[in-house]
Amino acid sequence: MRKLVYYVAVSVDGFIAGPSGEFDFYPGAPDMAQHQLDEYPETIPVQGRPQLGLTDTPNKHFDTVLMGLGAYRPGLDAGIPSPYPHLEQYVVSSTLPGVDDPAVHLVRADPLGLVRELKQRPGSGDLWLCGGGRLAAELLPEIDELVFKRYPVVAGGGIPAFAGPLRPRPFAPVETLTFSHGGTVTTYRPAG
């Protein structure tokens, strides 16, 4: 069965973006960026792929992406209604009036049911939950793996990695990679 993987950038204090969706405060490190290009090339949106030499690069982990409106909005605001055309794309939103690209599926309700259905479908890769925090909290029971790119910065406020009610679910780290600026990529799987 396919897995749902929450692969996301996060600050030391657990925020995935600032209060208005900002993410430009994450300090860069060439070795961390190269890790993403080498290991998760499919997580680079369409507008950055040609400059990075990823135009024809095959997907390594994911064939499907799930986004909340906050994760989808930056591309939409830049005039890019299909940010990941190399993946099957789902946007979960009850307020978005519609999408302007037939390759993007708008999901208005029951994201848990959607994920359970997608996990049963055949596919060439796993499901990537790229954000946001409310969607992650709603999908927590179905998350099979966390891959947190933790940057050495305190945001002080913003959108938390999980924005929902208190529902503790234990995860155990299975791998941590450390990069030149002190940032890490840690993979967690459900404990127990």
Side-chain angles (χ1 to χ4, degrees), residues 30 32 58 139 149 155 159 179:
M32 192 176 200
L139 295 178
K149 300 180 295 178
I159 300 168
F179 297 92

Side-chain angles (χ1 to χ4, degrees), residues 112-130:
L112 271 173
L114 170 68
V115 167
R116 289 174 181 140
E117 178 190 329
L118 291 173
K119 283 182 170 186
Q120 298 301 320
R121 287 187 196 168
S124 60
D126 289 326
L127 314 173
W128 170 35
L129 171 57
C130 81

Side-chain angles (χ1 to χ4, degrees), residues 49-103:
R49 293 176 71 82
Q51 300 91 319
L52 296 169
L54 298 174
T55 304
D56 297 319
T57 301
N59 300 336
K60 289 186 88 171
H61 295 275
F62 310 118
D63 68 0
T64 302
V65 60
L66 292 98
M67 303 169 267
L69 181 56
Y72 182 60
R73 173 81 56 204
L76 196 58
D77 289 348
I80 303 166
S82 180
Y84 301 100
H86 50 284
L87 300 171
E88 187 173 358
Q89 302 168 88
Y90 292 88
V91 176
V92 178
S93 173
S94 61
T95 60
L96 187 65
V99 292
D100 292 332
D101 194 299

